[in-house]
Amino acid sequence: MAGLFLLTINPFSKNVFIILKPMEKGPNILIAGAGPTGLTAAVELSRLGISPKIIDRKKEPSVLSRAVGIMPASLNILKPSGVTDHLVKEGVKMKFAQIFKGERLLVRIALEGGHPDWDYAIALPQDRTEKALIEALKRYGGSVEFGSELTGIRQDSEKVIVNINNGPDEEYDYVLGADGIHSAVRTQLGIEYPGIDLPETWSIADVDAVNWPYHDAGTICTLPDGNMAFVVALEENRYRVISNTEDALAALPLKLDVTTRHREGQFTISIRQVNEYQKGRVFLAGDAAHCHSPAGGRGMNLGIADAAEWARRTYENDFVGYSQSRHEAGAATIALSERLRKTMSSKSLITKLIITVLATTINLVPPLQRRMAKTFLDG
Ligand SMILES: Cc1cc2nc3c(=O)[nH]c(=O)nc-3n(C[C@H](O)[C@H](O)[C@H](O)COP(=O)(O)OP(=O)(O)OC[C@H]3O[C@@H](n4cnc5c(N)ncnc54)[C@H](O)[C@@H]3O)c2cc1C
């Protein structure tokens, strides 16, 4: 707009400096999917002065607890928008990570010093993380259009044409597919999602319980026959138990005094990643681009990181390298999660012996404890 200038501070520079730049109309952007990935992209774009349209096929916000662990990298990403303050206030501070062999504690690692900015990870049910993101989006004047499903997508070199709820053509400069593991954006553009589906059934239980002595710890129990169970706090006296068996509560070898069972279910796991996160003017992020087991609690965090990088690149109008950078980050996270899953669920007596010896050594050697804390918090 001729004659109008925008006074802005580069939000990515550590040295504060002011840029005087002509005020332009920002790109016309659609974000498909309002899970943690799409919401982070919408919040970050809005923070940078670009107002996207964000849609979700759900009628209303989710009430499912799904992802619990919020890692330091996500806390740093969501700090400038004020979301982190909310997450830290509402969530449980996970200050320890511990491994049991059956009922026997092998190692308890203090996470303090594992990350330069944070001595803990936050545990909070995913629906409450999404609520905090939706509230931040509102503060920037945005909102999610619920009940709006992306049903068609095609593109040429200048625009992306989208249909919502089988309605008329709508044109956008760029589209972000943050529409989860069964992404319509990905499938309609013919982008492959190579990988494997694990054969076993996993189980999950969200319960109220009393007298659990490890409220501020992420707890992993290795069991005979290559099975395992994880416990993490959701809030005061409420816990999530996950296992690679069909009954998480039955698999847990430690005493958990359950007073109420809120949600129990079973699920299967796929380990997949797209090769390309970009096709023309359309981009993928979050579970639409990668999925893996809950081991390490990284899935949601990886989506948040994808979204933040995509928003920054949109602001800077520089998408070169987005696909490669996110593919590398995704591959590293999947490798870490798979190492943990395979080690903890190994049936090999040698691997079990190595875990026991390593755990004993870690207990005795503080630098090794710090190294483990760094791996847990920082990847
Ligand atoms: C039991 C369980 C436990 C987990 N625990 C953890 C954990 O501890 N830590 C962790 O980091 N991760 C965990 N995860 C993984 C985590 O939940 C996902 O990685 C995360 O939800 C991915 O976010 P997303 O926004 O990419 O996708 P989603 O959360 O799946 O969001 C996608 C959104 O897109 C919408 N949508 C789909 N299709 C369309 C369409 N055509 N048009 C419009 N909207 C559409 C959906 O309604 C949905 O709201 C867990 C997952 C499960 C199932």
Side-chain angles (χ1 to χ4, degrees):
M1 216 184 285
L4 269 184
F5 285 84
L6 183 69
L7 212 61
T8 174
I9 295 172
N10 185 339
F12 300 109
S13 171
K14 288 201 170 156
N15 311 311
V16 174
F17 61 90
I18 291 174
I19 307 164
L20 204 59
K21 66 172 193 179
M23 198 160 81
E24 301 149 3
K25 189 175 169 295
N28 189 16
I29 286 177
L30 176 73
I31 298 170
T37 303
L39 285 168
T40 299
V43 166
E44 281 299 284
L45 276 184
S46 303
R47 182 175 74 80
L48 299 169
I50 298 171
S51 303
K53 172 162 162 166
I54 173 165
I55 59 169
D56 199 292
R57 70 177 175 188
K58 291 191 303 269
K59 295 270 179 293
E60 52 197 23
S62 169
V63 291
L64 294 178
S65 56
R66 294 174 74 191
V68 176
I70 306 166
M71 295 295 163
S74 299
L75 295 175
N76 279 347
I77 286 170
L78 298 172
K79 204 169 176 185
S81 58
V83 174
T84 291
D85 286 349
H86 195 88
L87 303 179
V88 170
K89 199 164 140 219
E90 283 223 348
V92 177
K93 292 188 178 75
M94 232 193 299
K95 295 179 179 168
F96 298 90
Q98 53 188 16
I99 302 175
F100 284 80
K101 183 177 181 183
E103 293 173 57
R104 182 158 69 93
L105 179 65
L106 287 183
V107 63
R108 181 170 159 93
I109 299 156
L111 299 180
E112 194 179 349
H115 187 276
D117 305 321
W118 302 90
D119 289 334
Y120 49 79
I122 290 292
L124 188 70
Q126 186 171 319
D127 52 331
R128 287 168 63 188
T129 300
E130 290 175 9
K131 189 166 171 249
L133 286 161
I134 289 172
E135 277 164 11
L137 187 58
K138 270 192 203 147
R139 288 197 292 276
Y140 290 113
S143 65
V144 178
E145 295 184 19
F146 284 105
S148 300
E149 180 172 2
L150 181 143
T151 47
I153 183 165
R154 59 194 198 278
Q155 62 178 323
D156 59 29
S157 59
E158 288 177 1
K159 60 192 176 301
V160 192
I161 300 148
V162 166
N163 304 99
I164 297 172
N165 294 337
N166 295 310
D169 287 357
E170 296 182 16
E171 288 185 10
Y172 295 92
D173 295 317
Y174 302 109
V175 170
L176 181 68
D179 49 346
I181 201 161
H182 303 294
S183 170
V185 172
R186 187 188 68 232
T187 48
Q188 293 205 20
L189 292 180
I191 300 171
E192 284 187 22
Y193 202 23
I196 55 161
D197 303 317
L198 296 183
E200 71 262 25
T201 301
W202 288 53
S203 55
I204 181 169
D206 285 358
V207 298
D208 283 350
V210 288
N211 303 325
W212 177 251
Y214 312 116
H215 190 72
D216 57 358
T219 300
I220 304 174
C221 301
T222 62
L223 307 166
D225 299 331
N227 292 327
M228 56 187 168
F230 305 91
V231 188
V232 64
L234 294 171
E235 57 187 74
E236 196 60 33
N237 294 328
R238 184 166 294 188
Y239 299 94
R240 150 78 50 84
V241 188
I242 292 192
S243 170
N244 63 341
T245 65
E246 292 187 2
D247 185 343
L249 287 176
L252 187 64
L254 305 173
K255 188 168 168 350
L256 182 67
D257 285 333
V258 176
T259 53
T260 312
R261 295 174 177 226
H262 287 281
R263 178 175 166 239
E264 286 177 84
Q266 294 181 335
F267 61 101
T268 53
I269 286 171
S270 302
I271 296 148
R272 296 180 177 274
Q273 186 183 24
V274 294
N275 291 320
E276 294 295 334
Y277 283 54
Q278 174 179 7
K279 189 164 185 176
R281 295 175 160 270
V282 181
F283 302 82
L284 294 175
D287 279 16
H290 45 72
C291 57
H292 53 84
S293 91
R298 290 300 202 274
M300 176 176 74
N301 295 278
L302 188 56
I304 287 172
D306 293 343
E309 178 166 343
W310 182 78
R312 174 180 61 76
R313 286 174 174 277
T314 305
Y315 173 79
E316 292 171 348
N317 194 21
D318 175 16
F319 295 111
V320 179
Y322 170 77
S323 186
Q324 187 185 346
S325 156
R326 294 326 302 163
H327 189 277
E328 282 172 13
T333 298
I334 291 171
L336 177 74
S337 173
E338 277 298 272
R339 261 199 315 277
L340 187 61
R341 181 185 70 81
K342 285 180 180 163
T343 309
M344 291 301 157
S345 64
S346 173
K347 292 180 182 162
S348 146
L349 290 177
I350 294 174
T351 307
K352 284 178 185 297
L353 185 67
I354 291 172
I355 294 174
T356 308
V357 171
L358 204 63
T360 314
T361 316
I362 290 168
N363 272 328
L364 299 172
V365 185
L368 271 181
Q369 287 179 26
R370 278 196 295 282
R371 167 88 209 160
M372 291 302 289
K374 186 172 169 355
T375 304
F376 183 85
L377 289 181
D378 214 8

